[in-house]
Amino acid sequence: MKLIRTEDAVGQVLCHDITQIIPGVTKDAVFRKGHVVTKEDIPVLLSVGKEHLYIWEKQEGMLHENEAAEILCAICKGQNMERTQAKEGKIELIAACDGLLKVDGRKLKAVNSLGEMIIATRHGNFPVKKGDKLAGTRIIPLVIQEEKMEAAKEAAGEKPILDLKPFARKKTAIITTGSEVYHGRIQDKFTPVILEKLAEYDAEVIGTLILDDRHEQITQGILDFIAKGAELIICTGGMSVDPDDRTPLAIKNTGADVVSYGAPVLPGAMFMLAYYDGRIPIAGLPGCVMYAKRTIFDLVLPRLMADDRIQREDLQVLGQGGLCLSCPVCTFPNCGFGKGE
């Protein structure tokens, strides 16, 4: 820092907040640390008793907090995001559309581990709305070594740490299975639940079908919907290991590649996911989706609607945080359910 006369401070960067006190009106910083002094600021500074100021003395190899914030913003900002202007060394990223937020946790940890800088984000793999805040970046000190910011860029690599995948208006088909529903012994209460959840993503439902517990019929039903252009197939019911629950077999017999049968999530342990022709997801939903407010389906649906390919490992890491507590007042997604590692 360097102490200079206030009249000579135009173009210089303040090293501390300047407080203005007007009795009964305000007591607040009239200028914040990091502010670049202008000619118009001089009378104001003098009016609050500042005849001398501590300013940042530019040194070779050192970056001001706003310059460093620009670097952090650049290594974070992916597609479909907007940014705020640097203020007090802080830049925020905002969603430019509805979509699925992706966060590279490994890179995020690597950058934050360097010290003197932070990137704070929302949880990845959850839906966000246009205008939602996604992340904030800043450095801790007023100035930082340039080589340290170069290390941050190296740790982040070529691709941004954050990405926002917009939701697609997928053509979706629903197949409800079960002899009790097929023969009209009970009312189908599964399909309305699925339709309600799909409506949140503006999905185009091209058809619904109720079938008996005959795996040949279910397999054919899936293939028929795919032939009609379905981009997502949802099968409900018949997902347990009981001998008369044939939906998993039916999904396998389509020739689809099974990602997983079972997930470490409660409710939703008997969930199944497969991809037909490597691109069309087929989801087998257990009965809990019909009556539990939040389940495995709420965790995977946003990813399916954003064309975010789900791997077996993606489901395995859900064990930590995979227990829904069925709170009397549900606050999902603002809770720990599905947050994973």
Side-chain angles (χ1 to χ4, degrees):
M1 294 186 296
K2 180 181 179 182
L3 185 65
I4 65 172
R5 293 174 64 249
T6 298
E7 289 90 340
D8 300 329
V10 175
Q12 302 296 328
V13 179
L14 294 177
C15 286
H16 57 89
D17 293 350
I18 305 295
T19 302
Q20 182 182 50
I21 301 175
I22 302 177
V25 178
T26 184
K27 180 184 178 182
D28 196 7
V30 64
F31 298 111
R32 295 285 184 185
K33 177 189 72 172
H35 176 73
V36 179
V37 180
T38 67
K39 182 179 180 181
E40 291 73 22
D41 297 335
I42 302 302
V44 180
L45 289 165
L46 294 173
S47 73
V48 296
K50 296 297 181 182
E51 295 186 353
H52 294 82
L53 298 172
Y54 281 100
I55 56 94
W56 174 48
E57 192 171 10
K58 178 72 173 177
Q59 297 179 18
E60 189 70 26
M62 301 295 289
L63 296 177
H64 178 257
E65 60 180 355
N66 284 351
E67 295 175 300
E70 293 289 348
I71 293 175
L72 290 179
C73 176
I75 66 179
C76 286
K77 185 175 179 290
Q79 63 177 351
N80 302 309
M81 299 178 192
E82 297 173 349
R83 49 155 293 176
T84 62
Q85 293 300 310
K87 182 179 180 182
E88 300 172 36
K90 181 180 179 181
I91 296 176
E92 294 179 343
L93 295 175
I94 311 297
C97 66
D98 295 357
L100 179 80
L101 177 63
K102 300 291 294 182
V103 180
D104 190 321
R106 181 183 59 82
K107 291 182 178 180
L108 179 65
K109 182 178 179 180
V111 173
N112 282 331
S113 296
L114 293 172
E116 295 190 308
M117 64 187 77
I118 65 161
I119 301 170
T121 77
R122 298 170 75 109
H123 277 284
N125 290 333
F126 276 81
V128 296
K129 295 287 188 181
K130 180 179 180 179
D132 282 351
K133 187 186 299 184
L134 305 179
T137 69
R138 70 168 304 158
I139 64 165
I140 305 304
L142 177 63
V143 296
I144 192 170
Q145 293 175 332
E146 187 173 1
E147 66 180 25
K148 200 157 194 178
M149 297 312 301
E150 289 297 323
K153 290 193 285 187
E154 183 177 348
E158 296 182 0
K159 294 184 179 179
I161 292 176
L162 304 182
D163 190 18
L164 181 56
K165 295 188 172 186
F167 295 125
R169 192 167 187 266
K170 282 186 172 293
K171 295 180 179 179
T172 306
I174 305 171
I175 297 177
T176 300
T177 68
S179 59
E180 69 279 21
V181 181
Y182 179 72
H183 292 291
R185 300 186 184 107
I186 66 170
Q187 183 182 0
D188 172 23
K189 294 187 178 181
F190 223 138
T191 302
V193 172
I194 305 305
L195 289 172
E196 183 178 356
K197 291 184 182 293
L198 289 173
E200 296 180 23
Y201 299 92
D202 194 30
E204 179 186 352
V205 179
I206 65 171
T208 62
L209 189 62
I210 298 177
L211 296 176
D212 202 352
D213 288 313
R214 297 181 181 179
H215 65 84
E216 300 91 348
Q217 290 185 0
I218 301 171
T219 296
Q220 191 57 52
I222 295 172
L223 295 175
D224 288 345
F225 274 130
I226 291 175
K228 293 177 182 177
E231 299 166 306
L232 170 63
I233 308 288
I234 298 174
C235 299
T236 68
M239 288 302 301
S240 78
V241 293
D242 295 341
D244 58 348
D245 282 343
R246 313 308 301 275
T247 305
L249 176 60
I251 294 174
K252 291 177 184 177
N253 286 347
T254 63
D257 294 324
V258 176
V259 173
S260 179
Y261 178 30
V265 176
L266 293 173
M270 305 308 293
F271 170 74
M272 186 175 193
L273 179 64
Y275 283 90
Y276 182 86
D277 196 27
R279 58 186 178 85
I280 302 173
I282 305 172
L285 305 185
C288 61
V289 177
M290 177 172 55
Y291 58 81
K293 188 168 183 64
R294 297 297 178 183
T295 69
I296 180 68
F297 189 47
D298 297 283
L299 304 182
V300 301
L301 182 58
R303 298 188 64 176
L304 296 176
M305 300 308 291
D307 283 326
D308 185 42
R309 182 69 179 236
I310 299 175
Q311 308 289 345
R312 182 186 297 270
E313 294 76 14
D314 296 326
L315 298 175
Q316 291 172 343
V317 298
L318 292 176
Q320 181 175 320
L323 178 64
C324 177
L325 300 180
S326 302
C327 303
V329 177
C330 180
T331 60
F332 181 84
N334 300 317
C335 66
F337 182 53
K339 294 303 191 289
E341 295 181 353

